[in-house]
């Protein structure tokens, strides 16, 4: 396909079939949540080990001996700081006692396993994404194709990812070894070592060029696996062959990808200044990544297999009709799932997990509760007109819900851990304050909306875990799993409104309510 046709087809497909394309990218976003679950479990196991060994007691004693009032006064007048306010030696010794071989082994192993899971799960989800966009371009059912493709081509995509990252690592290790040897030679004999070090420095462009060549070879390999139905090695060969056959199309795609990357990087830098950089994550999830995949797949799928659909052809319903249909579908899906027997029971289970995490976090730090003191006027916390805070909170909470929901495909375990973890954060915040009324005034107004919304997304994740388990045991087919993914997508679209309302309350109303109460 011509590059111009691929661009037109990509944009028109994304705009005309968002509910067919985007669920695969919501699933892909959940891969990060799945991977983070293992280090979180590792940290919890390390905490239990330290608790069983009694190594947390010295830390508790050192913190209990600290004069918090004197430390607070020292922040206002450092010259009047009391050196005995904080038992630094005892605290340092107690903290050093937390770094035991067992803790290092548990945390280190959990991090390694988390990276391995991210590679494997992310590769499988990527296979589903490419199958989804290819099916959408062909006019087939995208979501079910994505489910079937993720299962069928998980191994080739895992192979591609391992091979690509392995080559990056190998080239970097070789260059690092050269630099290390150059440094050792220079230390032993500065005269000879200077020439060796200069040679190592001249090899830096070669190292960078090697990384770029590796990246280039893998650009179209995923598309080759899906479109041509080949394995890892075949995907590499055909992807590289496509570059040799159509270097112009490859160059245009790379220029487009680099241009979009530069634009998103610049937007991130600018939006960071006003604290709403999360918007870029939203745009990347909803538009940039699926658009680039659609373009790349359209370019690779040559011949008449894909029919370009002009964006401005006027075919299909208009924008207003699509928005009305989307609104109706999302609200209907949210309502039907939330108030179904499954939705109510799993939402209750999510609230229970969140509550257990809250109690656990509170008990962990309850002994270190400190007086809140003068918190000033809460109405001034976010400023007079906190639009940036409102946008940041809304985007962050919705993205958390997306990850929490679709990570549930891993048998619901990441969803449960995420609920416990978020609950623990709330419990820790409440536990370190001796004045629970202050905490309640600053949390409850927006939590009335936010926590139930998170619980519903958690219920969705647990539900997807159950469906995935049934699919793994052969009691459900790909079509059934695809139907649940579509439902989850529309429920999350509906929950976006709830999170927006909760964030509006948190940014604009909670500080004023707290100011009135306190």
């Amino acid at each position: 396909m011509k590059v111009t046709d691929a661009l037109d087809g990509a944009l028109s497909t994304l705009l005309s079939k968002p509910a067919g394309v985007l669920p695969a990218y919501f699933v892909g976003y959940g891969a990060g949540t799945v991977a983070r679950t293992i280090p979180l479990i590792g940290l919890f196991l390390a905490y239990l080990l330290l608790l069983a060994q009694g190594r947390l007691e010295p830390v508790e004693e050192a913190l209990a001996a600290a004069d918090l009032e004197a430390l607070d006064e020292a922040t206002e007048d450092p010259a009047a700081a009391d050196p005995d306010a904080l038992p630094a030696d005892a605290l340092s010794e107690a903290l050093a006692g937390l770094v035991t071989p067992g803790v290092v082994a548990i945390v280190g192993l959990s991090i390694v396993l988390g990276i391995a899971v991210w590679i494997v799960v992310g590769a499988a989800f990527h296979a589903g994404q490419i199958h989804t966009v290819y099916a959408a371009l062909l006019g087939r059912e995208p979501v079910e194709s994505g489910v079937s493709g993720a299962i069928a081509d998980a191994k080739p995509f895992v192979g591609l990812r391992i091979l690509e990252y392995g080559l990056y690592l190998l080239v970097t290790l070789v260059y690092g070894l050269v630099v290390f040897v150059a440094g050792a030679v220079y230390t032993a004999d500065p005269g000879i070592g200077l020439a060796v070090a200069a040679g190592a420095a001249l090899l830096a462009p070669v190292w960078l060029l090697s990384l770029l060549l590796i990246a280039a070879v893998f650009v179209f390999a995923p598309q080759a696996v899906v479109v041509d139905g080949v394995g890892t090695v075949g995907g590499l060969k055909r992807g590289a062959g496509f570059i040799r056959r159509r270097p112009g199309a490859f160059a245009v795609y790379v220029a487009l990808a680099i241009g979009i990357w530069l634009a998103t990087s610049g937007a991130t830098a600018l939006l960071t200044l006003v604290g709403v950089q999360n918007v870029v994550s939203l745009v990347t999830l909803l538009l940039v990544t699926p658009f680039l995949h659609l373009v790349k797949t359209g370019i690779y799928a040559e011949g008449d297999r894909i029919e370009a659909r002009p964006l401005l052809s006027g075919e299909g319903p208009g924008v207003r009709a699509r928005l009305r249909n989307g609104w109706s579908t999302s609200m209907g899906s949210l309502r039907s799932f939330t108030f179904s027997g499954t939705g109510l029971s799993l939402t209750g289970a999510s609230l229970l997990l969140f509550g257990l995490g809250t109690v656990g976090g509170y008990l962990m730090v309850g002994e270190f509760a400190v007086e809140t003191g003068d918190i000033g006027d809460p109405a001034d916390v976010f400023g007079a007109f906190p639009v940036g805070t409102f946008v940041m909170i809304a985007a962050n909470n919705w993205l958390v819900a997306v990850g929490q929901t679709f990570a549930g495909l891993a048998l619901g375990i990441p969803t449960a851990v995420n609920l416990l973890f978020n609950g623990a954060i709330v419990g820790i915040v409440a536990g370190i304050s001796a004045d629970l009324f202050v905490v309640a005034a600053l949390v409850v107004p927006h939590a009335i909306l936010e926590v139930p919304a998170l619980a519903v997304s958690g219920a969705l994740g647990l539900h997807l875990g159950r469906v995935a388990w049934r699919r793994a045991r052969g009691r459900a087919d790909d079509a059934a799993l695809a139907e649940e993914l579509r439902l989850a997508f529309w429920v999350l679209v509906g929950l976006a409104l709830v999170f927006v309302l909760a964030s509006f309350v948190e940014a604009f109303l909670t500080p004023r309510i707290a100011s009135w109460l306190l």
Side-chain angles (χ1 to χ4, degrees):
M1 177 183 286
K2 294 181 181 179
V3 175
T4 53
D5 290 339
L7 288 168
D8 200 10
L11 190 55
S12 61
T13 299
L14 184 57
L15 294 179
S16 63
K17 301 180 180 179
V21 173
L22 292 180
Y25 292 88
F26 284 27
V27 171
Y29 191 81
T33 304
V34 174
R36 286 193 298 271
T37 298
I38 297 179
L40 287 176
I41 294 174
L43 288 173
F44 180 68
L45 293 176
Y47 169 79
L48 292 180
L49 177 62
L50 293 172
L51 189 65
Q53 293 176 341
R55 292 182 176 272
L56 294 175
E57 294 178 2
V59 179
E60 295 174 359
E61 294 173 357
L63 291 175
D67 188 343
L68 298 179
E69 293 184 1
L71 290 174
D72 184 56
E73 294 174 358
T75 59
E76 299 177 0
D77 185 8
D82 182 1
D84 297 326
L86 181 68
D89 293 338
L91 183 59
S92 298
E93 183 179 351
L95 292 176
L98 301 180
V99 186
T100 66
V103 169
V104 172
I106 291 173
V107 174
L109 180 61
S110 68
I111 293 174
V112 172
L113 288 176
I115 294 173
V117 167
W118 175 73
I119 291 174
V120 173
V121 174
F125 289 173
H126 187 204
Q129 291 170 347
I130 304 305
H131 273 280
T132 295
V133 298
Y134 185 47
L137 289 168
L138 290 174
R140 298 201 303 253
E141 209 296 310
V143 182
E144 185 176 346
S145 298
V147 171
S148 301
I151 297 172
D153 283 336
K155 288 183 180 180
F157 272 74
V158 170
L160 285 175
R161 185 157 292 191
I162 292 175
L163 189 56
E164 182 179 8
Y165 292 167
L167 288 173
Y168 288 145
L169 181 61
L170 177 62
V171 169
T172 302
L173 287 177
V174 169
Y175 180 68
L177 180 61
V178 171
V179 173
F180 175 78
V181 171
V185 172
Y186 180 80
T187 302
D189 188 341
I192 300 177
L194 185 61
V196 175
L202 292 175
L203 286 176
V206 177
W207 168 64
L208 291 174
L209 180 61
S210 300
L211 295 180
L212 292 175
L213 288 175
I214 293 170
V217 170
F218 281 86
V219 166
F220 287 99
Q223 278 65 30
V225 170
V226 172
V227 175
D228 298 329
V230 296
T232 301
V233 177
L236 276 175
K237 290 181 178 179
R238 297 199 179 204
F242 177 82
I243 296 173
R244 291 193 301 269
R245 189 169 64 253
R246 296 188 60 190
F250 168 75
V252 171
Y253 173 76
V254 170
L256 174 67
I258 292 175
I260 291 177
W261 178 78
L262 291 173
T264 55
S265 299
T268 301
L270 291 174
L271 293 175
T272 300
L273 298 176
V274 292
V276 293
Q277 62 272 20
N278 308 54
V279 173
V280 178
S281 298
L282 277 176
V283 174
T284 301
L285 172 65
L286 300 175
L287 180 61
V288 173
T289 304
F291 174 72
L292 287 176
H293 285 174
L294 282 161
V295 170
K296 187 162 51 167
T297 304
I299 290 174
Y300 184 85
E302 299 177 278
D304 298 327
R305 283 175 282 187
I306 294 177
E307 180 182 354
R309 291 176 299 279
L311 178 62
L312 301 179
S313 64
E315 298 177 0
V319 175
R320 290 185 180 180
R322 291 176 182 175
L323 290 176
R324 282 198 303 269
N325 291 337
W327 171 263
S328 176
T329 303
S330 62
M331 291 296 103
S333 299
L334 176 59
R335 185 168 52 252
S336 63
F337 175 79
T338 302
F339 295 105
S340 66
T342 298
L344 289 173
S345 60
L346 292 180
T347 299
S350 297
L351 288 172
L352 177 61
L353 288 169
F354 188 89
L356 289 174
T358 302
V359 173
Y362 182 84
L363 294 177
M364 284 175 60
V365 299
E367 297 181 7
F368 308 114
V370 296
E371 294 295 334
T372 306
D374 184 12
I375 62 172
D377 187 358
D380 297 330
V381 170
F382 297 135
F385 196 62
V387 176
T389 301
F390 159 63
V391 173
M392 179 193 69
I393 295 172
N396 180 73
N397 288 344
W398 189 72
L399 288 172
V400 168
V402 170
Q404 175 177 267
T405 295
F406 288 94
L409 287 168
L411 305 182
I413 297 172
T415 301
V417 172
N418 203 61
L419 288 165
L420 288 167
F421 176 74
N422 283 315
I425 296 297
V426 174
I428 289 171
V429 171
I432 60 176
S433 174
D435 193 340
L436 290 180
F437 182 74
V438 173
V439 176
L442 293 170
V443 172
V444 170
H446 59 272
I448 293 174
L449 290 172
E450 186 177 306
V451 172
L454 284 173
V456 171
S457 73
L460 268 175
L462 297 175
H463 176 61
L464 288 179
R466 184 167 62 183
V467 177
W469 172 248
R470 293 181 62 223
R471 172 62 184 84
R473 298 184 65 186
R475 295 183 177 180
D477 57 13
D478 294 345
L481 181 53
E483 183 62 31
E484 298 302 333
L485 291 177
R486 279 190 290 267
L487 171 66
F489 166 79
W490 283 116
V491 172
L492 279 167
V493 172
L495 282 176
L497 175 62
V498 182
F499 283 115
V500 167
L501 292 175
S503 302
F504 179 85
V505 173
E506 183 172 359
F508 290 93
L509 301 182
T510 293
R512 286 158 179 76
I513 293 172
S515 177
W516 177 68
L517 292 174
L518 302 176

